[in-house]
Amino acid sequence: MDLIIRRATLPRSAVPQHKQPVDIGIEAARIVAVEPNLAAHAREEIDAAGSLVTPPFVDPHFHMDATLSYGLPRVNASGTLLEGIALWGELKPHLTQEALIERALQYCDWAVARGLLAIRSHVDVCDPRLLAVEALLEVKRRVAPYLDLQLVAFPQDGVLRSAGAFENLKRSIAMGVDVVGGIPHFERTMADGAQSVRLLCEFAAEQGLRVDMHCDESDDPLSRHIETLAAETHRLGLHGRVAGSHLTSMHSMDNYYVSKLLPLVREAGVAAIANPLINITLQGRSDTYPKRRGMTRVPEMMAAGIDVAFGHDCVMDPWYSLGSGDMLEVAHMGLHVAQMTGVDAMHACFDAVTVNAARILGLEGYGIAPGCAANLVLLDARDPVEAIRLRAARLAVVSRGKVVSRAPAARASLSLEGRPAEVDFKLHRG
Ligand code: FE2
């Protein structure tokens, strides 16, 4: 074999469940064995020593055309979504393909080091030059040997509101962009928003494509485009191929209406993507106190049987000044904002940045079982909850069967009389 990872603990969601720890055998970029005490040898062996080995992190919602542009041409002073969109509009005419590619590749380096090996990125198609589309298609080609990049044609300024946006979107799909995006709440009227959802879903159905719309990223409880998105998904038979991103208005909606909405979303097989780091900072900006958290209803949707994943959305761009490609930071924030503190709920937050996100992207060969792609992350944690708590170091990242990144464990030495020489921040009993 090419590589064996020995004595690995797997996350709960890994299928099939094993007596643990297990050894994972890899050959020709595929997992070929998952069993205790694997009787085989490999050119390279890694001893996980009981630590967690997970399929890679998956970011189902990102903006790679804007990433790492923080401060260009200026910083978002109000911190609002709308100033972020205006700021992006100021930056767009100054974008060059070289700079876009360089920033995106740098972000992908960070992502790999964080064990983030699949990203769905929206790319703005409102610039008729389609500069960002060309740049991210080039980035997709360059990172393909180690990272799955899926692109969404995103009409940032509104497919109806912005002249030529639908034509640009269609051109970008013809160029190789994978998924149809939209932004109904940014159209000029509710009716235009609903019309944009219909138009884009019909186009996706015609083309046999997936849909992922920025939907209801608003504090307005009457922003109900998710209802149209679910109804259109059902009407056009797009079940399982559509995601609504953000859905923050659901936080502010009337409970009775939501009790009717969630079954519609579930029956249509529409997935939900919450972006906790971004929406806890962008939403509720016009509130005084009490101030709304603004994240969509994550535990309620999960309980209703809707697929829910967490996205990073932004890293150092017009909307968000922080971030480093760490999906454990995303899960950590999602857990807090949604108050998902029960044991099962914390595991569900880990799933939201791994298996659930992979399902929404339609990733093939994702998981830890014979036949799956050999993409794995060894974490300096014993289980997913500890991984979230510590935002654990990625001791080793394996992509396509090769170790592509290593990092040291987080340890601190102590010089205290009568106390241990080192701490690892893990709970050691007895
Ligand atoms: Fe977004």
Side-chain angles (χ1 to χ4, degrees), residues 194-246:
Q195 171 61 15
S196 78
V197 172
R198 276 191 287 276
L199 179 76
L200 292 163
C201 285
E202 281 171 5
F203 175 66
E206 249 170 58
Q207 300 284 316
L209 298 172
R210 290 173 186 268
V211 176
D212 186 340
M213 282 193 202
H214 284 66
C215 195
D216 304 322
E217 189 179 7
S218 158
D219 291 323
D220 175 4
L222 296 178
S223 186
R224 295 176 169 185
H225 297 298
I226 177 61
E227 177 187 281
T228 310
L229 184 62
E232 287 300 297
T233 300
H234 188 63
R235 179 176 76 85
L236 296 163
L238 289 169
H239 305 78
R241 287 160 50 196
V242 175
S245 280
H246 293 289

Side-chain angles (χ1 to χ4, degrees), residues 15-358:
V15 177
Q17 289 289 337
H18 289 280
K19 204 168 144 265
Q20 306 211 14
V22 291
D23 296 346
I24 304 166
I26 291 165
E27 210 171 286
R30 291 265 146 201
I31 295 173
V32 292
V34 181
E35 57 191 66
N37 306 312
L38 177 62
H41 295 284
R43 280 204 298 277
E44 186 177 2
E45 300 210 357
I46 295 173
D47 184 8
S51 289
L52 181 67
V53 174
T54 176
F57 296 106
V58 177
D59 183 356
H61 188 110
F62 195 63
H63 294 265
M64 204 174 279
D65 48 359
T67 198
L68 308 194
S69 67
Y70 178 72
L72 299 175
R74 61 183 176 84
V75 168
N76 183 336
S78 68
T80 60
L81 172 67
L82 294 181
E83 186 177 340
I85 294 174
L87 182 47
W88 175 238
E90 290 171 36
L91 176 58
K92 262 195 269 192
H94 305 292
L95 292 174
T96 67
Q97 215 173 83
E98 297 70 42
L100 272 164
I101 291 172
E102 198 187 303
R103 285 198 290 264
L105 287 174
Q106 189 181 358
Y107 182 75
C108 290
D109 294 341
W110 296 5
V112 168
R114 295 291 196 197
L116 168 56
L117 298 182
I119 300 174
R120 174 182 276 182
S121 174
H122 295 253
V123 52
D124 187 356
V125 296
C126 286
D127 172 2
R129 298 173 300 164
L130 295 182
L131 202 83
V133 171
E134 280 181 4
L136 289 196
L137 284 168
E138 175 60 21
V139 170
K140 179 177 168 157
R141 273 189 290 277
R142 289 207 212 166
V143 301
Y146 51 88
L147 187 147
D148 291 308
L149 178 58
Q150 196 176 80
L151 298 177
V152 185
F154 175 47
Q156 170 77 76
D157 301 328
V159 74
L160 299 178
R161 180 172 171 172
S162 169
F166 191 40
E167 285 312 307
N168 296 341
L169 183 144
K170 288 198 260 191
R171 273 170 55 216
S172 71
I173 294 291
M175 287 162 69
V177 171
D178 310 278
V179 179
V180 176
I183 186 164
H185 57 277
F186 196 66
E187 303 291 353
R188 297 321 285 262
T189 66
M190 287 293 176
D192 281 0
Q195 171 61 15
S196 78
V197 172
R198 276 191 287 276
L199 179 76
L200 292 163
C201 285
E202 281 171 5
F203 175 66
E206 249 170 58
Q207 300 284 316
L209 298 172
R210 290 173 186 268
V211 176
D212 186 340
M213 282 193 202
H214 284 66
C215 195
D216 304 322
E217 189 179 7
S218 158
D219 291 323
D220 175 4
L222 296 178
S223 186
R224 295 176 169 185
H225 297 298
I226 177 61
E227 177 187 281
T228 310
L229 184 62
E232 287 300 297
T233 300
H234 188 63
R235 179 176 76 85
L236 296 163
L238 289 169
H239 305 78
R241 287 160 50 196
V242 175
S245 280
H246 293 289
L247 304 176
T248 58
S249 72
M250 201 186 289
H251 184 102
S252 301
M253 282 174 183
D254 169 71
N255 286 336
Y256 179 80
Y257 174 70
V258 172
S259 75
K260 185 165 162 273
L261 176 65
L262 295 190
L264 173 68
V265 174
R266 180 177 50 77
E267 283 160 34
V270 171
I273 299 168
N275 297 293
L277 288 165
I278 306 313
N279 289 127
I280 195 64
T281 46
L282 291 183
Q283 305 313 126
R285 286 279 177 157
S286 50
D287 293 353
T288 53
Y289 290 94
K291 195 184 271 290
R292 283 168 288 178
R293 297 172 184 219
M295 191 169 76
T296 193
R297 302 191 187 199
V298 172
E300 292 78 7
M301 283 196 280
M302 285 179 169
I306 296 165
D307 240 341
V308 185
F310 291 152
H312 206 315
D313 200 5
C314 303
V315 170
M316 301 192 74
D317 70 7
W319 297 273
Y320 188 59
S321 321
L322 307 174
S324 67
D326 186 350
M327 295 306 291
L328 285 172
E329 195 178 313
V330 173
H332 189 267
M333 181 59 79
L335 183 156
H336 283 78
V337 177
Q339 301 180 327
M340 292 176 68
T341 49
V343 174
D344 289 345
M346 290 194 284
H347 281 270
C349 288
F350 190 84
D351 292 348
V353 293
T354 52
V355 279
N356 297 3

Side-chain angles (χ1 to χ4, degrees), residues 353-384:
V353 293
T354 52
V355 279
N356 297 3
R359 215 165 29 240
I360 293 170
L361 265 64
L363 291 182
E364 281 171 20
Y366 182 89
I368 301 185
C372 287
N375 301 324
L376 298 164
V377 185
L378 168 60
L379 291 158
D380 183 22
R382 294 166 294 191
D383 60 64

